[in-house]
Amino acid sequence: MTRVPAPLAKRQGIIFILSAPSGAGKTTLYNGLKLVHPEIKLSVSCTTRPRRAGEVNGRDYRFIRETEFDQMKAAGEFAEWAKVHGNNYGTPRKPLDHSVQTGRDILLDIDVQGARQIKKSYPQAVSIFLLPPSLKELKRRLASRGTDRSEIIQRRLANARGEIGEILHYDYYVENRDVEEAVEVLSAIVAAERAKISRVIEWRLDSLRGEHGPKDHGQRP
Ligand code: 5GP
């Protein structure tokens, strides 16, 4: 059995924010990312939106009533919350903080309002905006999903234009023309962010320090 060497550095978990107008293909992209990076956890939001067919409570969302949402909001249990398409959504704070503290990366599928709040409270978070190939394609995807009524689809399309206008507040963008390509770009972002020196909280370089080990300049890690 080959022994896997211990990591050379310890770092905090990274918060990845993925925002996109609905229908941009976020779920497909996330499923692709999960195959490459099964270790990235997905934050489960609370929402007051009715459950869609095929959605599982506790896996896709925690579906809760307005009163419970308001109580959680008042108790400060959300790291961010927002009203999106007429329904309330919130990211529970505890699992998020736990992931960061235990060095586990976590992905937040949240809208542009939520992304702004998270960046304010967690400046080290990495925000990524997923762009659909075109508005025409976005409309086609929303309609073919068949899970929402036509007035809801129209509202989501109108919101999409506004959301795309927020792209300048993000760190990265990914074009979703081809899922494989988009997953590749996303994985590259994940790899680059994980390799940032500024994220290291403890170096474990002893095994590298031989007679000809790395020379350090300034503070020794
Ligand atoms: P859907 O209802 O189609 O699953 O999601 C609608 C929108 O709500 C998407 O843009 C999604 O990213 C956003 N959303 C889902 N969960 C949260 C959350 O916890 N906070 C915020 N701010 N947006 C969320």
Side-chain angles (χ1 to χ4, degrees):
M1 216 171 69
T2 33
R3 215 173 129 252
V4 182
L8 296 173
K10 186 179 162 192
R11 58 167 179 81
Q12 287 193 327
I14 304 171
I15 300 173
F16 291 101
I17 303 168
L18 187 62
S19 299
S22 49
K26 213 165 24 179
T27 310
T28 323
L29 186 67
Y30 175 68
N31 287 337
L33 183 73
K34 223 161 59 174
L35 293 176
V36 187
H37 288 295
E39 75 288 358
I40 299 181
K41 200 176 139 180
L42 181 68
S43 161
V44 180
S45 297
C46 294
T47 184
T48 58
R49 152 166 95 58
R51 194 165 60 85
R52 293 194 190 116
E55 284 182 329
V56 176
N57 189 27
R59 184 193 68 186
D60 301 293
Y61 283 105
R62 251 195 76 210
F63 297 95
I64 60 176
R65 291 177 194 280
E66 292 283 351
T67 44
E68 192 182 347
F69 193 94
D70 290 344
Q71 279 164 6
M72 289 178 73
K73 200 168 82 182
E77 288 181 35
F78 292 129
E80 65 74 36
W81 67 271
K83 199 170 223 95
V84 189
H85 313 309
N87 296 300
N88 284 320
Y89 295 83
T91 302
R93 188 189 297 279
K94 255 195 198 160
L96 186 66
D97 288 344
H98 184 254
S99 285
V100 172
Q101 282 153 16
T102 54
R104 237 187 125 182
D105 299 339
I106 185 165
L107 184 74
L108 270 52
D109 165 352
I110 59 175
D111 85 320
V112 293
Q113 310 167 69
R116 275 188 185 226
Q117 295 173 52
I118 293 289
K119 282 291 265 186
K120 220 172 178 185
S121 329
Y122 303 84
Q124 328 84 316
V126 179
S127 56
I128 305 159
F129 197 94
L130 182 66
L131 282 171
S134 67
L135 270 185
K136 203 172 143 202
E137 174 62 14
L138 190 71
K139 192 173 176 183
R140 196 195 61 74
R141 287 184 190 173
L142 280 176
S144 71
R145 211 155 64 170
T147 50
D148 294 315
R149 283 176 317 203
S150 94
E151 74 253 32
I152 294 183
I153 293 173
Q154 287 310 319
R155 198 192 320 162
R156 285 176 182 234
L157 264 178
N159 284 348
R161 291 173 203 272
E163 283 168 352
I164 291 168
E166 291 282 314
I167 199 165
L168 292 182
H169 298 290
Y170 282 74
D171 299 315
Y172 296 96
Y173 76 93
V174 175
E175 283 184 50
N176 200 12
R177 283 181 206 285
D178 171 82
V179 179
E180 263 177 46
E181 244 173 63
V183 169
E184 220 171 90
V185 176
L186 204 52
S187 300
I189 296 169
V190 168
E193 288 294 336
R194 282 179 175 172
K196 272 191 172 159
I197 300 278
S198 58
R199 294 197 187 277
V200 175
I201 49 179
E202 189 190 326
W203 289 100
R204 293 165 175 171
L205 298 181
D206 285 354
S207 62
L208 292 183
R209 286 207 182 94
E211 207 181 323
H212 305 290
K215 291 222 165 34
D216 39 50
H217 306 276
Q219 202 190 356
R220 197 183 176 93

